Amino acid sequence: MATTTAQESDTEDPITTGAAPTSSRVVLEWVEQWRNILQPDAVHWCDGSPQEYDQLCNEMVAAGTFLRINPDNHPNSFLALSDPRDVARVEEQTFIAAATREDAGPTNNWRDPTELKEKLLADFSGAMKGRTLYVVPFCMGPLGSHISQYGIQLTDSPYVVVNMDIMTRMGQSALKHIEAKGQFVRCVHSLGYPLAAGEADVAWPCNPDKRCIAHFPETREIWSFGSGYGGNALLGKKCFALRIASVMARDDGWMAEHMLILGVTPPNGEKKYIAAAFPSQCGKTNMAMMVPSIPGWKVETVGDDIAWMRFGDDGQLYAINPEAGFFGVAPGTSDKTNPNALKALVGNCIFTNVAHTPPNANGFVGADDVWWEDLSETPPSPLMDWHGQNWQPDSDRPAAHPNARFTVPAAQAPCIAPEWEDPKGVPISAIMFGGRRADAVPLVTEARDWEHGVFLGAIMSSETTAAAAGAVGKIRFDPFAMLPFMGYNVGDYIAHWLEIGNSTSPEQLPKLFWVNWFRRDSDNHFIWPGFGDNARVVKWVVERIQGTAEAMDTPLGLLPAPDSLDLSGIDAELREQIQAELLTCDPDSWSEEIPRLKQHLEQLGNRVPRKLFDQLDSLKRRLETA
Ligand code: GTP
Ligand code: SPV
Ligand code: MN
């Protein structure tokens, strides 16, 4: 990763066809095959050097894709404003092209792989005319870790290259590992916006009408067309590290999950590691970086989005973060909510679709600084919104897009755990499942055992967010926070979770918990203070692992016994409300939920293990006798 501040200069050579830095026949033949299809003007093999990063950024500044941010505030940092039609993941245009529809399952968009490839090959044909084809070798996970996996992404987007540089271990060292293994996930990406001779480019090329994010799980391939944004285009992330990796994990006895990983050190010094699965924009980055509100407790970040977990020889489940950077939601990030994220943004950042203050009077060219909702109470003035248009506080639209993001190297976060790149991973003691639910779901519930926890993960639901195109605030079932990210049949996925539970002794399995930070009162305000106060829940979880906190049995599971959740320092009235509303199970309203839960499990198809229906029956019985 580049850490230097390069100044714009036109004396550097433009990047053109570099000689291939590999003698690996499989790699060379694959790249050559695609070069013939894509027909780029040039091929550039990415080495991952700081010089390469700086040069690409400078070229994007010259092309108008990037604006350099005031280096006094954010050295070596840039702002990109996307095409307004290309702002988030597109679940409707995301496909799992497994051999059969049944293998993809009822929650995925399925296409016949042969037909989809045929259609996409037509789209890819000549798609890079007038552009450079970048060959991006990358590693997901610490280089050389037995849990890590390798890929090569072909792309015509320099924006994607520099983001992949931050988000993965990218370049020559990854290529060396790929050569040694002879194996890699093949990722092909094009913006779908070829340039005719002499045609001027646009700042954010894309092809929204032909967008298609295709996964071929059997052959471990990803073909992505038409989008340059986030999970649609940074193929190491959701496409590889979740959809393809979940299939690899099923086949090979491990887990690829949509989870943060944090390390927590209690006052007694016995560090534990917790993973937590929350859907997109439901608090993973914030939780991973939290500053505990309770004295004596320390939280450190191992990962903020994805966890790969494998059993060690000792029978414990170990997790790595396959990523090397954070692609975090900007709006809402503030000194109050997530000071560690702001500190991580010292420099070397890419900001996408945030607002910016226009050039200042003393001649600095480019945007001076970035802004998003809640960064400060009063927005700076004047301010340009994410469309690049003048914005006023009384405007009827947000200044930053709700899915505006920062990309930043993980190592820059002051809260990063020293062991975050340990190739053997960190041992996981607890896993949380959580969604955005305004009602019903308590603040924290401990599962009775693994099977019950798998049931709770399977019946999770959450309000939709701006991370994906479509309606926001609509409740949907989102099993394990993986609804848009499972690379195979959801029934088989749940069966895999049950199998994991049989792979070691019960005492060595992580304890499973269900959490919800998002309950609202009758005025629609969040009841639970959240953020650093979520450490109170972490404390209870750690004390449950250590066997020192009391729980009370309810039909839903084990809730904190009165006074066992540390609410010290919270004012008395709120404490009472928390105790009465967030730490109780209402059997009547949950009994009403049972038919919906049953219908949900049925809709997941006939591969859902019977045990899940048994769990539902047990819940029903417990509710009836409560
Ligand atoms: P992705 O990167 O899309 O996967 O999202 P994420 O799960 O990392 O969510 P993130 O931490 O970025 O939070 C998303 C939004 O939820 C932000 O606007 C946060 O401010 C808000 N949020 C996070 N944690 C809490 C919390 O504990 N309480 C409340 N009320 N809001 C929260
Ligand atoms: C998410 O949507 O869960 C994200 C953003 O983390 S993206 O990388 O676009 O998938
Ligand atoms: Mn996040």
Side-chain angles (χ1 to χ4, degrees):
M1 232 317 291
T3 48
T4 53
T5 307
Q7 293 309 316
E8 284 159 53
S9 124
D10 46 24
T11 56
E12 287 165 285
D13 288 334
I15 288 173
T16 51
T17 321
T22 179
S23 55
S24 163
R25 282 192 69 89
V26 278
V27 174
L28 286 170
E29 281 171 13
W30 177 69
V31 173
E32 186 56 21
Q33 175 205 339
W34 277 101
R35 193 182 65 79
N36 284 322
I37 297 165
L38 298 162
Q39 301 165 39
D41 281 5
V43 177
H44 173 78
W45 293 74
C46 294
D47 61 13
S49 66
Q51 294 75 13
E52 176 182 77
Y53 184 91
D54 291 342
Q55 191 170 340
L56 287 172
C57 290
N58 288 337
E59 286 176 19
M60 280 190 278
V61 169
T65 303
F66 267 2
L67 275 170
R68 189 181 285 277
I69 306 295
N70 187 342
D72 293 338
N73 300 346
H74 297 282
N76 198 30
S77 297
F78 302 90
L79 167 67
L81 301 180
S82 81
D83 184 306
R85 298 167 300 172
D86 194 26
V87 295
R89 285 185 295 102
V90 285
E91 296 182 359
E92 294 299 309
Q93 287 88 43
T94 298
F95 301 96
I96 301 295
T100 69
R101 183 186 291 275
E102 186 64 10
D103 290 340
T107 57
N108 281 312
N109 293 320
W110 178 78
R111 287 286 184 279
D112 176 82
T114 312
E115 285 169 24
L116 187 57
K117 280 195 170 174
E118 209 171 295
K119 172 200 129 50
L120 274 171
L121 273 176
D123 291 339
F124 276 125
S125 179
M128 292 194 186
K129 277 186 184 157
R131 299 194 181 276
T132 297
L133 160 58
Y134 300 94
V135 182
V136 185
F138 63 95
C139 174
M140 299 309 291
L143 279 162
S145 164
H146 69 293
I147 311 179
S148 296
Q149 300 283 346
Y150 299 85
I152 302 180
Q153 176 165 352
L154 307 181
T155 181
D156 50 6
S157 164
Y159 169 88
V160 164
V161 176
V162 293
N163 274 273
M164 286 290 285
D165 199 341
I166 296 176
M167 295 304 295
T168 73
R169 281 84 175 172
M170 182 276 256
Q172 196 55 28
S173 40
L175 187 57
K176 288 286 158 233
H177 282 269
I178 292 168
E179 283 170 4
K181 282 178 97 92
Q183 230 183 359
F184 58 98
V185 171
R186 290 155 168 76
C187 309
V188 184
H189 170 250
S190 174
L191 300 166
Y193 195 107
L195 294 169
E199 183 184 345
D201 205 355
V202 295
W204 187 278
C206 60
N207 190 343
D209 295 336
K210 289 196 166 175
R211 232 164 0 204
C212 180
I213 323 298
H215 304 73
F216 303 93
E218 281 87 6
T219 51
R220 316 285 200 241
E221 287 173 283
I222 302 158
W223 293 15
S224 167
F225 189 88
S227 168
Y229 204 92
N232 300 329
L234 312 178
L235 300 188
K237 203 172 175 50
K238 299 307 210 273
C239 297
F240 181 163
L242 290 177
R243 298 195 191 95
I244 294 295
S246 63
V247 176
M248 295 172 148
R250 173 200 64 188
D251 292 351
D252 211 14
W254 52 284
M255 306 174 89
E257 300 295 334
H258 192 201
M259 293 178 185
L260 68 93
I261 309 162
L262 61 78
V264 52
T265 311
N268 74 7
E270 264 179 49
K271 193 167 187 176
K272 302 274 184 231
Y273 297 91
I274 298 175
F278 307 157
S280 301
Q281 292 206 2
C282 290
K284 289 182 300 301
T285 300
N286 276 270
M287 181 164 183
M289 297 185 182
M290 80 161 108
V291 181
S293 64
I294 43 176
W297 288 73
K298 185 165 97 182
V299 166
E300 289 167 319
T301 314
V302 176
D304 83 323
D305 196 45
I306 298 172
W308 284 358
M309 297 184 284
R310 228 180 236 274
F311 286 109
D313 295 334
D314 58 2
Q316 285 247 69
L317 201 53
Y318 285 82
I320 63 160
N321 170 9
E323 302 189 282
F326 304 124
F327 185 60
V329 178
T333 305
S334 75
D335 239 349
K336 289 200 196 81
T337 57
N338 193 348
N340 280 324
L342 288 188
K343 287 184 191 139
L345 301 177
V346 278
N348 311 306
C349 312
I350 300 166
F351 296 99
T352 307
N353 285 350
V354 300
H356 69 278
T357 50
N360 64 19
N362 50 33
F364 178 75
V365 179
D368 258 341
D369 209 350
V370 288
W371 190 82
W372 49 78
E373 274 64 25
D374 296 339
L375 179 58
S376 57
E377 254 168 63
T378 326
S381 180
L383 190 68
M384 314 288 271
D385 68 10
W386 68 277
H387 292 283
Q389 282 160 11
N390 220 314
W391 185 88
Q392 303 293 338
D394 61 1
S395 297
D396 57 359
R397 56 183 202 278
H401 186 278
N403 192 38
R405 300 261 170 179
F406 53 78
T407 321
V408 67
Q412 287 185 191
C415 52
I416 198 78
E419 64 280 27
W420 79 281
E421 296 189 280
D422 188 338
K424 73 175 193 306
V426 295
I428 298 297
S429 299
I431 295 175
M432 298 177 173
F433 305 116
R436 197 178 266 274
R437 285 293 307 269
D439 60 14
V441 179
L443 180 65
V444 55
T445 310
E446 180 185 332
R448 296 156 186 281
D449 53 29
W450 184 267
E451 227 171 87
H452 180 235
V454 170
F455 170 70
L456 295 178
I459 61 161
M460 265 174 74
S461 56
S462 191
E463 292 166 23
T464 52
T465 66
V472 170
K474 232 181 84 199
I475 292 191
R476 67 175 184 184
F477 285 104
D478 189 348
F480 301 84
M482 283 287 282
L483 180 74
F485 307 121
M486 287 177 203
Y488 61 103
N489 187 299
V490 58
D492 294 342
Y493 171 91
I494 296 171
H496 183 58
W497 265 86
L498 291 177
E499 260 165 49
I500 291 286
N502 290 323
S503 305
T504 195
S505 64
E507 320 79 68
Q508 282 181 300
L509 283 171
K511 274 184 182 289
L512 304 181
F513 296 83
W514 196 22
V515 300
N516 178 20
W517 316 144
F518 298 95
R519 286 280 289 271
R520 290 176 190 261
D521 63 17
S522 47
D523 292 328
N524 211 29
H525 293 130
F526 292 117
I527 299 171
W528 179 247
F531 303 102
D533 283 305
N534 294 332
R536 298 171 189 276
V537 173
V538 169
K539 178 180 176 186
W540 188 75
V541 164
V542 169
E543 289 173 348
R544 288 298 295 164
I545 296 163
Q546 294 171 334
T548 56
E550 294 291 318
M552 61 179 182
D553 205 357
T554 78
L556 283 180
L558 304 168
L559 263 60
D563 299 328
S564 78
L565 183 76
D566 183 348
L567 297 177
S568 56
I570 293 182
D571 80 52
E573 201 180 322
L574 180 56
R575 232 167 34 219
E576 257 171 55
Q577 189 184 11
I578 290 166
Q579 197 65 56
E581 294 178 37
L582 305 190
L583 298 175
T584 50
C585 158
D586 173 15
D588 293 339
S589 64
W590 276 100
S591 289
E592 281 170 34
E593 279 283 301
I594 295 288
R596 273 188 0 111
L597 297 178
K598 180 150 181 281
Q599 189 190 31
H600 159 62
L601 291 180
E602 283 165 357
Q603 280 173 351
L604 296 184
N606 55 16
R607 294 201 195 177
V608 173
R610 273 307 333 150
K611 283 188 169 150
L612 274 282
F613 290 93
D614 298 343
Q615 285 287 338
L616 185 65
D617 288 342
S618 309
L619 171 61
K620 187 163 175 250
R621 245 177 296 119
R622 289 195 302 266
L623 287 165
E624 282 162 2
T625 54

